[in-house]
Amino acid sequence: MDEVSAAQSTTVLRDSQFARDLPEMAVAWRAAEAPEPRLLAINEPLAAQLGIDATWLASPAGLRLLVGAEVPEGVTPVAQAYSGHQFGGYTPRLGDGRALLLGELTDADGRRRDLHLKGSGRTPFARGGDGLAAVGPMLREYVVSESMHALGIPTTRALAVVATGAEVWRETALPGAVLARVASSHLRVGSFQYAAASGDLDLVRRLADHAIARHYPAAADAEQPYLALFDAVVAAQAALVARWMLVGFIHGVMNTDNMTISGETIDYGPCAFMEAYDPATVYSSIDHAGRYAYANQPIVAQWNLARFAETLLPLISEDQQRAVEIAVASLGKFTVAYDAAWGSGMRAKLGVAADVDDATVTSLADDLLAQLAQSRVDYTSFFRQLAAAARGDAEPARGLFVDLAGFDAWLTRWRALHPDADAMDRVNPVYIPRNHLVEEALAAATSGDVGPLHRLLEAIASPFDERPDFDRYATPAPDDFGPYQTFCGT
Ligand code: AMP
Ligand code: MG
């Protein structure tokens, strides 16, 4: 490693506390070789926040770090072990099959962040997989996670996507890529399941202590720290999933290994934003039963949290019956927290002031959503058109409904509450990563043109700021785009 790169990376990257605290759950490993690294996307604002010089990161030495070919001396990348319920079925040994935790950084705000690679080659957890990732899916994660971040929704972030120069075989040969991902941690519900399944209660306790220290330090001072940890994760996930629902985000693969302890959205696979409002929307090609359909997400989140609770029971009380009672009571707070977060979010989307009572807002929202579903209205653009209605121009919104009398009656009730159009525009995005535009950008990048990708990234980086140049990014897919499907594990 030359002097500049050594200076640039040793100052920022350290060994992970995870590997130090939980050696049983970390396997030291190195990335596969990337024959010809080529930068496809780099997140300059995030690099700055991490104290990394983006120019250096884009240099050959920086790219070697971003594909894991070279890490600072003394830093040992690890593959993390975890288990998980996938579509309801338990797999005891998942883990990072194609990913590595490179190490940890401290960002400009003094917060500890993981630097993680995805698509960096087979690890001891790879099972039948090739350990690789194609350009398209890694860029999808980049685009969608950046959109979520810009929308103010907790998420892991993408620092860069580097094409490796190697081929990845899916149905056909595709260019391979590595995503460099930054997260407040990679602790998952599945991490706790792994520790609990080992039968080593001390390991579960160390993992819980590690999670508390990292994410919920106040829990350490609680009367029952492990219960406080559980309560904090319940609250974080309830708030997170409410945010997903409010923007029409469908994660697509809410397995317990894809649910964080931090409350950040993680593992963007077959995810997508809903266009026409329909609670039953599913995009993932492998989700035949609709387990992870839009409307099921809060229910699944609570189910996943029940699996988390099970891992903590012996730490909550030695009396198992008592532990279960306590955990069930805590889990019950999910619905209350979720309803509160969703209700206040929907109030904001409708521009309704705080002095209007909750029941009025909820009934107004429920009626509206039923009408949006009936008329298959584009969920995102509708709320901007509704703000226009608040300003006096109701025609664009009215034109979307088949039952015009029904919508007019709704409009009268809503207008009586004096909605604030400017406040609505501050919370209702104009730009989300629409499926047809994501596909267009990924296809172009796969065949060597990153132009559409960068244009899309520009649109979604300022989601609330309407810009005439970006008109096509604000409109739903044309009819000939057809039913959309996303693919997992690609
Ligand atoms: P996911 O549902 O995509 O988050 O992945 C579930 C599990 O499969 C994780 O343990 C991944 O590390 C593993 N996995 C997914 N794709 C691959 C691959 N191409 N090679 C090896 N492991 C993989
Ligand atoms: Mg995953």
Side-chain angles (χ1 to χ4, degrees):
M1 192 175 268
D2 63 48
E3 256 174 47
V4 179
S5 59
Q8 287 290 349
S9 50
T10 44
T11 52
V12 290
L13 194 67
R14 297 184 309 273
D15 250 356
S16 64
Q17 187 71 37
F18 177 87
R20 280 196 296 276
D21 287 353
L22 304 149
E24 300 95 324
M25 295 178 66
V27 180
W29 204 255
R30 292 303 299 254
E33 197 153 320
E36 219 176 304
R38 191 166 56 84
L39 189 64
L40 296 179
I42 183 164
N43 193 333
E44 291 181 5
L46 178 59
Q49 205 184 85
L50 296 172
I52 307 175
D53 177 2
T55 313
W56 175 79
L57 206 53
S59 74
L63 294 194
R64 284 199 294 279
L65 174 71
L66 288 172
V67 295
E70 231 175 74
V71 290
E73 243 171 68
V75 172
T76 308
V78 298
Q80 291 177 292
Y82 50 83
S83 307
H85 277 89
Q86 301 178 300
F87 292 91
Y90 181 66
T91 303
R93 191 180 147 96
L94 289 171
D96 290 334
R98 55 163 174 177
L100 289 176
L101 173 58
L102 271 193
E104 283 170 8
L105 308 149
T106 302
D107 71 15
D109 301 322
R111 287 174 309 174
R112 200 136 48 91
R113 313 276 285 268
D114 279 1
L115 179 59
H116 173 104
L117 303 182
K118 191 165 170 179
S120 51
R122 285 177 56 84
T123 74
F125 301 106
R127 298 174 293 160
D130 60 8
L132 303 175
V135 160
M138 295 306 97
L139 288 176
R140 177 198 294 283
E141 172 152 346
Y142 191 117
V143 170
V144 184
S145 63
E146 274 312 286
S147 167
M148 296 290 266
H149 173 74
L151 291 164
I153 300 174
T155 179
T156 65
R157 294 193 66 190
L159 178 61
V161 174
V162 177
T164 57
E167 262 182 1
V168 179
W169 275 91
R170 293 299 177 251
E171 262 124 39
T172 155
L174 294 168
V178 173
L179 166 78
R181 176 164 80 183
V182 174
S184 71
S185 86
H186 283 78
L187 301 177
R188 307 154 188 264
V189 168
S191 313
F192 281 82
Q193 292 181 289
Y194 182 91
S198 76
D200 179 354
L201 186 56
D202 176 61
L203 179 61
V204 184
R205 186 177 289 113
R206 272 186 289 128
L207 177 59
D209 289 339
H210 174 87
I212 289 171
R214 185 136 192 194
H215 297 297
Y216 304 106
D221 303 324
E223 202 171 308
Q224 293 204 55
Y226 304 115
L227 183 62
L229 168 65
F230 182 61
D231 284 340
V233 178
V234 167
Q237 285 293 340
L240 177 68
V241 177
R243 298 295 305 272
W244 291 359
M245 299 300 282
L246 289 162
V247 295
F249 174 75
I250 303 171
H251 183 283
V253 60
M254 288 179 71
N255 296 331
T256 56
D257 51 304
N258 292 337
M259 182 185 256
T260 59
I261 298 306
S262 65
E264 287 176 348
T265 312
I266 196 169
D267 277 0
Y268 294 83
C271 60
F273 280 75
M274 180 168 61
E275 293 216 311
Y277 183 80
D278 177 357
T281 305
V282 176
Y283 291 118
S284 169
S285 63
I286 57 169
D287 192 0
H288 307 295
R291 179 182 173 92
Y292 300 139
Y294 173 73
N296 274 355
Q297 296 187 120
I299 299 159
V300 170
Q302 202 175 7
W303 189 90
N304 288 348
L305 290 165
R307 307 288 78 75
F308 179 37
E310 285 163 2
T311 71
L312 296 176
L313 290 177
L315 299 180
I316 290 173
S317 171
E318 279 169 17
D319 173 350
Q320 201 191 342
Q321 190 57 39
R322 181 84 194 106
V324 169
E325 283 164 18
I326 295 170
V328 166
S330 272
L331 188 59
K333 295 181 209 159
F334 179 90
T335 312
V336 180
Y338 174 82
D339 288 347
W342 188 86
S344 70
M346 192 44 84
R347 175 190 294 275
K349 286 178 83 66
L350 294 173
V352 174
D355 58 1
V356 175
D357 65 280
D358 287 345
T360 304
V361 176
T362 305
S363 123
L364 200 63
D366 289 347
D367 288 357
L368 175 65
L369 294 178
Q371 294 197 34
L372 291 179
Q374 183 195 29
S375 297
R376 297 194 59 79
V377 174
D378 180 71
Y379 180 73
T380 301
S381 55
F382 168 74
F383 285 95
R384 297 294 290 212
Q385 279 154 346
L386 192 62
R391 293 190 178 96
D393 181 12
E395 286 319 303
R398 293 180 76 236
L400 301 169
F401 291 86
V402 287
D403 174 10
L404 196 53
F407 184 60
D408 280 339
W410 185 88
L411 270 181
T412 305
R413 279 169 64 203
W414 173 67
R415 278 190 171 128
L417 303 175
H418 309 290
D420 178 341
D422 292 342
M424 291 172 73
D425 283 349
R426 286 193 291 273
V427 298
N428 293 314
V430 188
Y431 309 109
I432 51 161
R434 291 187 178 272
N435 307 320
H436 64 296
L437 299 167
V438 172
E439 291 307 317
E440 171 193 89
L442 303 191
T446 299
S447 41
D449 175 12
V450 291
L453 169 76
H454 289 291
R455 184 93 177 136
L456 175 61
L457 286 171
E458 224 181 307
I460 54 119
S462 305
F464 306 107
D465 173 17
E466 191 166 356
R467 288 153 289 166
D469 285 0
F470 288 94
D471 263 3
R472 70 184 288 266
Y473 294 86
T475 40
D479 289 340
D480 65 4
F481 184 62
Y484 187 58
Q485 267 211 333
T486 53
F487 299 90
C488 190
T490 43

